[in-house]
Amino acid sequence: AQSVTQLDSHVSVSEGTPVLLRCNYSSSYSPSLFWYVQHPNKGLQLLLKYTSAATLVKGINGFEAEFKKSETSFHLTKPSAHMSDAAEYFCVVRSDTGRRALTFGSGTRLQVQP
Amino acid sequence: ETGVTQTPRHLVMGMTNKKSLKCEQHLGHNAMYWYKQSAKKPLELMFVYSLEERVENNSVPSRFSPECPNSSHLFLHLHTLQPEDSALYLCASSQDLGRENYGYTFGSGTRLTVV
């Protein structure tokens, strides 16, 4: 079985400070991991994905995530937050076998204060 | 636009109404999905289609009826819904069922309110 836990439902940072959104996963097999972002009244947009290549993955808009197998984590980071980063972020997992579709975390709402 | 278009964007319907949600993609993808996004809950997978064939029904009540007439179009037919069915319904597509590793392309969703 596969699952994903986003450890914080809300994160608030000041503009220009680092962002850390935490995600832990559970998977019986080698997982593929994703981060998606959802701006208000919009669909979900793929930020980045890990599919067993480099453990440090770079995505769009300056975001990156590091796959740590020993910690079963895939935390999302950005060195300097921008106001436009305010959105909901979803960590997503898919195992190589078993369930076909992606499993989504419950989401982390990122607020960016001026 | 992402390449996946959902209509309508907003829908208000009574519990006795029948309505349909439409999803369209021209990305050449062979797999399409319906997800339900309710407040304070993770996205819930409802249905999976591959090459117009339903391959997964995630214990969805029969008042939701999907239809996939071709690989570019996906419908969700709604009838006798309950207020708790109010949610954002998201359509997504992927290259193939075996290629979810490439990620999904999502539409902007239909915000459904059942009164």
Side-chain angles (χ1 to χ4, degrees), chain B:
Chain B
E1 289 299 328
T2 64
V4 177
T5 303
Q6 289 188 244
T7 54
R9 293 293 301 272
H10 300 273
L11 178 62
V12 180
M13 60 186 288
M15 289 190 283
T16 57
N17 291 160
K18 290 185 180 181
K19 296 284 185 184
S20 295
L21 310 185
K22 180 182 176 182
C23 176
E24 185 173 353
Q25 58 92 7
H26 295 288
L27 300 170
H29 289 175
N30 292 319
M32 296 185 77
Y33 313 81
W34 279 117
Y35 275 88
K36 177 183 179 183
Q37 185 177 30
S38 305
K40 304 194 187 303
K41 293 172 84 173
L43 266 75
E44 301 170 60
L45 177 66
M46 299 176 73
F47 301 103
V48 179
Y49 274 83
S50 175
L51 296 170
E52 301 109 65
E53 179 184 344
R54 189 192 312 179
V55 296
E56 187 163 336
N57 175 348
N58 227 28
S59 302
V60 180
S62 59
R63 58 186 183 269
F64 295 91
S65 175
E67 179 190 4
C68 188
N70 54 64
S71 59
S72 298
H73 293 88
L74 184 65
F75 294 89
L76 187 62
H77 303 301
L78 316 171
H79 64 98
T80 59
L81 294 192
Q82 305 298 312
E84 60 264 28
D85 296 322
S86 299
L88 181 68
Y89 289 85
L90 290 164
C91 174
S93 69
S94 65
Q95 186 68 52
D96 294 291
L97 258 197
R99 293 198 189 182
E100 292 91 336
N101 293 354
Y102 291 92
Y104 289 179
T105 302
F106 278 89
S108 298
T110 295
R111 172 73 60 188
L112 174 67
T113 303
V114 181
V115 296

Side-chain angles (χ1 to χ4, degrees), chain A residues 10 32 34 36 38 41-46 49 51 88 90 94-96 99-106, chain B residues 9 33 35 37 41-43 45 48 55-56 58 88 90 97-98 100-104 106-108 111:
Chain A
H10 288 85
S32 296
F34 309 79
Y36 281 82
Q38 186 178 31
N41 301 313
K42 296 286 181 70
L44 281 77
Q45 179 185 17
L46 181 65
K49 59 178 182 254
T51 55
E88 185 109 23
F90 294 91
R94 181 189 179 269
S95 296
D96 281 344
R99 192 172 189 207
R100 303 173 197 259
L102 306 182
T103 299
F104 285 75
S106 54
Chain B
R9 293 293 301 272
Y33 313 81
Y35 275 88
Q37 185 177 30
K41 293 172 84 173
L43 266 75
L45 177 66
V48 179
V55 296
E56 187 163 336
N58 227 28
L88 181 68
L90 290 164
L97 258 197
E100 292 91 336
N101 293 354
Y102 291 92
Y104 289 179
F106 278 89
S108 298
R111 172 73 60 188

